[in-house]
Amino acid sequence: MADGSAALSVKTACPYCGVGCGVSAVVARDGREGRAVSVAGDPAHPANLGRLCSKGTALGATVSLEGRLLEPTIGGRVVTWTEATALVAKRFSDTIARHGPDSVAFYVSGQLLTEDYYVANKLMKGFIGSGNIDTNSRLCMASAVAAHKQAFGADLVPGCYEDLDLADLVVFSGHNAAWTHPVLFRRMEAARARGQKHVVIDPRRTDTAEGADLHLALAPQTDVRLWNGLLADLIRRHAIDRGYLARHVSGFDSVEAALAELDQSPAAVAADCGIAFKDLLAFYDLFAANPRTVSLFSMGANQSAQGVAKGLSILNVHLATGRIGKPGACPFSITGQPNAMGGRETGGMANTLAGHMDFEPADRDRVARFWGAPGTTRKPGLKAVDMFEAVHDGRIKAIWIMATNPAVSMPDAGRVREALARCPFVVVSDCIAETDTSAFAHVKLPALAWGEKDGTVTNSERRISRQRALFAAPGQARADWKIISDVAVAMGHDGFGWTSPASVFREWVRLTAYENDERVLDLSGLSRLDPDGYAGLDPVQWPVKADGQGTARLFADGQFQTPDRRARMIPTRPVGPAEAVSDAYPLSLNTGRIRDQWHTMTRTGLAADLCRHAPEPFVEMHPADAQAAGVKDGALARVMTVRGEAVVMAKVTDRQRPGDLFMPMHWTDSFAPSGRSNGLIAPHTDPTSGQPEFKHTPARVRPYRETWRGFFLSRLVQDAPSVQNLIWRRLPHEACQQHEFAGRGDASEREAVRRTLSKAQVGALLSYEDAGSGSRREAWVQDGALTAVLFMTTQDGLPPRDWLVELFAAPALGVDARSALLLGRPAGPQPDRGALICACLKVGAKAIEAAIAAGAASPEAVGQQTGAGTNCGSCRPEIARMISASSKAIRESADVA
């Protein structure tokens, strides 16, 4: 720490994906309520070694108090914590007394710290006596959890990040690491320089697939067929490890018998998976030739009605070849949230108890003894989709939602909204005042945000890291563990009297060690941590030994957490999609994430630069499908399923497989109410894991055929006007908010929108209208500064927005600028950055194109000239594509000449 009045340096952890990057934060005292912070990667943290992605790099732009929930409210009325806590405790207690413990539920989040998760789980399962606590991690990796438990005896991730450095082959199964885990992808890029090979299994040609040695663009829901075919081929080649199987694995014979039920010839597998025969053989050859293989699998595999079978088929291959527990060799489930692992450990999922214990009588009684809670539930609770269905039909009458936004993120999200609207009592604890979910809350409880939280998280390689506070709690906001504890005490329960997160953590550590003769999850080496030791805890991988040292790899000795210490191979059989395409809905809709956004944008949406790379919701579709549907690239399109409709921009690209669509899941009512994807998604789930099928919903696409467009720039966020069928989206900038809209109505519709937007404006009005062309331009100026701009037209003549956005940063408008506003074009030449490519360093496409034209022939060379791609590297594949496109254009020009 420097001079206390100048700056405070803190080492903490990033709140985004499961990589678990260390962050070095410097808090400046500059008069802005102490909320200014600069961030950099922590070079001493073993997860990221100093790197951060674009989202982590932009954390400093997200710590303001803009939009924060800072006081408890009941029915929109600000109240004291005493009143809010008493009401929540009373309503939950009364509901339980009248309808039983299963009439209430908690829905929690991988954004919670381990301490928060532990307290919530203890209250619901131990003292309320219901299993009805589930997490949004159910949507991300529940299928991997179930596969781990069946194969290894417990939810155990065997590998570590060092294996990604050491592997000779990395297989990405449903994992666009270049975008979703870019810091890890950069590590693997370095390994490629020494010859590491990459195979990508994904129906989309993602940025990860673009630069891979082999891309298998398989048909939807054929992953099990592919991996089973690989195992059959390895058996034919005598490439399995029969010695390892004999010593450490059970079930091989039954798996081999199941394989024999289908034609496993490469020709049959290739045909069923929709991939080229030669590409399938190349995959088989690569896998057979490289004992040091890591198979990364993520949401592309997990988010499926067959997600557990997909995971097991991957684990089967690694067990059969003995590629597990060895340097550079393992199956590796990569999580999507910063503390999904911590939630799995503490029992945050409805079908587990804390400490990797389940509901067998011995486990349940052990947890009950430790907690002193004889009423601990004896059965699992409802998983996420079933939980909200129970809210919908009235079985659950009170629900507490913590740090998540299920009204956007759940499948069939419209039905989730109906459920919340019907629920007699909804509590939301969050750091954000207004979300799509909190709109249904009877009680809102202000929680801490990143930068204020103090506790621990566990990343994808089982590494526990400290998340430390940079700022004091703002307003009346409190830690989640404290909020839950106070409600528990108000309900009359003992055992919730912790005074700090360190005391919660110590209890959690003791539970992992309690009567533990066989469980791998054991933190007993941390049991002697005093408050200072907790405050200074260095990153460590569990299990933690008595000397405090962590464990990098599991199963190095071939011993698993099963009764006989042998792993289990489980037969898997390919099945068709839960809902088939049809003539009415002939396309398969796949949803997922994009490079610079996170979940439902409540944090990343505060960082303007993160909204530039993909500024609006979109649907990707193959040119043949677009032509058949009459959809044009860059035009608005209607995406429809039996559950709803969204209107988004069409991106026509051959990177999308014919017959498939892709939509991102991030947009909300606040950013693009017509662009929400998950209201379209069928609520089909894996029968074992309960994880929803986000990767295949039958859909169709049609042109939107708008009759007019417009945009509105203002200093404040503007809600969408109440005009039927108006398509509306918002894009934040540093000095203003950009609102884009389109409609299919006539002049009266345009006038209704204009009146709504004009109503709240003050200052002098500059106005121009050309009724013949359907064009209108209006601007409001107050004290010489621009406060709002409205452009509308029935033609294609809307001007670029960047020059108008820059006018909001000017202290006063000159005469030329005022004239330009009425003319609808800048007064003189304006610099054009083009689309933002590198969000970390704010490098646009034009600068990269200029570097390529000047001779930069590689991403490294572009980076040297522009800086693009030199931080997190997630834009490097796009830069490589731009280089390739330029080279192709030059060759074609030469051929013509």
Side-chain angles (χ1 to χ4, degrees), residues 137-144 146 173-174 218-225 297-311 313 385 411 573-579 589-591 681-697:
S137 299
R138 177 72 57 190
L139 314 182
C140 304
M141 40 79 256
S143 292
S173 184
L218 77 175
Q221 308 307 331
T222 58
D223 308 58
V224 173
R225 183 73 166 119
F297 60 109
S298 191
M299 278 173 270
N302 294 331
Q303 289 180 330
S304 168
Q306 307 162 40
V308 176
K310 292 179 183 181
S313 64
V385 171
R573 294 171 173 84
V575 296
E579 186 175 346
L589 174 61
N590 168 16
T591 66
I681 302 304
H684 303 304
T685 62
D686 184 285
T688 300
S689 71
Q691 182 157 0
E693 170 68 89
F694 283 107
K695 300 304 180 185
H696 170 78
T697 297

Side-chain angles (χ1 to χ4, degrees), residues 107 139 384-385 388 405-413 416 678-679 681 692 694:
Y107 186 64
L139 314 182
V385 171
F388 283 99
N405 199 4
V408 178
S409 58
M410 286 287 293
D412 200 5
V416 172
N678 285 6
I681 302 304
F694 283 107

Side-chain angles (χ1 to χ4, degrees), residues 108-132:
V108 298
S109 165
Q111 293 290 297
L112 295 179
L113 303 182
T114 298
E115 293 78 1
D116 307 324
Y117 257 126
Y118 177 77
V119 176
N121 188 58
K122 181 178 179 179
L123 174 56
M124 178 56 73
K125 288 179 179 155
F127 287 81
I128 290 175
S130 170
N132 284 346

Side-chain angles (χ1 to χ4, degrees), residues 217-226 262-275 280 574 657:
L218 77 175
Q221 308 307 331
T222 58
D223 308 58
V224 173
R225 183 73 166 119
L226 177 68
L262 288 177
D263 180 358
Q264 301 292 349
S265 67
V269 174
D272 288 348
C273 294
I275 56 180
L280 183 73
R657 192 176 185 277

Side-chain angles (χ1 to χ4, degrees), residues 260-328:
E261 296 171 5
L262 288 177
D263 180 358
Q264 301 292 349
S265 67
V269 174
D272 288 348
C273 294
I275 56 180
F277 178 75
K278 65 178 180 61
D279 289 342
L280 183 73
L281 290 183
F283 176 44
Y284 288 177
D285 290 343
L286 280 169
F287 204 98
N290 289 283
R292 290 197 300 181
T293 296
V294 171
S295 296
L296 292 165
F297 60 109
S298 191
M299 278 173 270
N302 294 331
Q303 289 180 330
S304 168
Q306 307 162 40
V308 176
K310 292 179 183 181
L312 285 170
S313 64
I314 295 170
L315 302 186
N316 283 344
V317 170
H318 277 265
L319 289 170
T321 55
R323 298 180 188 184
I324 189 169
K326 300 171 182 175

Side-chain angles (χ1 to χ4, degrees), residues 91 127 160 252 263 400 728 825:
R91 290 296 298 270
F127 287 81
C160 61
F252 174 75
D263 180 358
W400 187 349
W728 180 270
R825 59 179 182 270

Side-chain angles (χ1 to χ4, degrees), residues 69-379:
L69 179 63
L70 297 176
E71 296 173 298
T73 66
I74 296 174
R77 174 176 58 88
V78 174
V79 298
T80 65
W81 268 110
T82 300
E83 185 177 352
T85 300
L87 178 64
V88 174
K90 183 178 188 306
R91 290 296 298 270
F92 268 75
S93 295
D94 289 350
T95 303
I96 293 164
R98 292 191 184 102
H99 305 286
D102 290 336
S103 65
V104 301
F106 294 168
Y107 186 64
V108 298
S109 165
Q111 293 290 297
L112 295 179
L113 303 182
T114 298
E115 293 78 1
D116 307 324
Y117 257 126
Y118 177 77
V119 176
N121 188 58
K122 181 178 179 179
L123 174 56
M124 178 56 73
K125 288 179 179 155
F127 287 81
I128 290 175
S130 170
N132 284 346
I133 174 172
D134 208 38
T135 168
N136 64 2
S137 299
R138 177 72 57 190
L139 314 182
C140 304
M141 40 79 256
S143 292
V145 171
H148 288 156
K149 291 176 71 173
Q150 290 186 36
F152 305 149
D155 177 21
L156 301 169
V157 176
C160 61
Y161 296 162
E162 184 187 37
D163 292 326
L164 303 177
D165 304 326
L166 301 176
D168 295 320
L169 173 66
V170 177
V171 181
F172 301 84
S173 184
H175 182 207
N176 185 14
W179 276 20
T180 60
H181 300 91
V183 169
L184 290 186
F185 192 69
R186 288 301 301 274
R187 289 180 73 151
M188 290 180 278
E189 278 191 327
R192 291 197 76 188
R194 63 157 179 82
Q196 184 183 85
K197 301 294 185 182
H198 289 181
V199 175
V200 174
I201 301 169
D202 197 311
R204 302 170 59 221
R205 195 169 78 243
T206 63
D207 276 14
T208 307
E210 191 90 48
D213 299 282
L214 179 64
H215 174 211
L216 302 178
L218 77 175
Q221 308 307 331
T222 58
D223 308 58
V224 173
R225 183 73 166 119
L226 177 68
W227 284 96
N228 283 356
L230 171 62
L231 179 55
D233 184 77
L234 293 168
I235 294 171
R236 283 193 300 268
R237 294 175 186 240
H238 305 288
I240 60 172
D241 189 337
R242 292 196 177 270
Y244 187 87
L245 288 169
R247 293 189 301 274
H248 302 302
V249 181
S250 299
F252 174 75
D253 290 344
S254 60
V255 170
E256 189 174 28
L259 292 177
E261 296 171 5
L262 288 177
D263 180 358
Q264 301 292 349
S265 67
V269 174
D272 288 348
C273 294
I275 56 180
F277 178 75
K278 65 178 180 61
D279 289 342
L280 183 73
L281 290 183
F283 176 44
Y284 288 177
D285 290 343
L286 280 169
F287 204 98
N290 289 283
R292 290 197 300 181
T293 296
V294 171
S295 296
L296 292 165
F297 60 109
S298 191
M299 278 173 270
N302 294 331
Q303 289 180 330
S304 168
Q306 307 162 40
V308 176
K310 292 179 183 181
L312 285 170
S313 64
I314 295 170
L315 302 186
N316 283 344
V317 170
H318 277 265
L319 289 170
T321 55
R323 298 180 188 184
I324 189 169
K326 300 171 182 175
C330 66
F332 204 150
S333 164
I334 295 292
T335 55
Q337 293 196 78
N339 202 32
M341 289 285 281
R344 289 151 68 171
E345 295 155 15
T346 56
M349 305 185 84
N351 54 314
T352 63
L353 288 172
H356 283 182
M357 287 178 272
D358 291 318
F359 290 92
E360 287 82 6
D363 280 354
R364 180 265 170 201
D365 291 347
R366 182 183 301 114
V367 174
R369 283 194 303 275
F370 181 84
W371 280 341
T376 296
T377 184
R378 295 182 179 274
K379 67 182 190 300

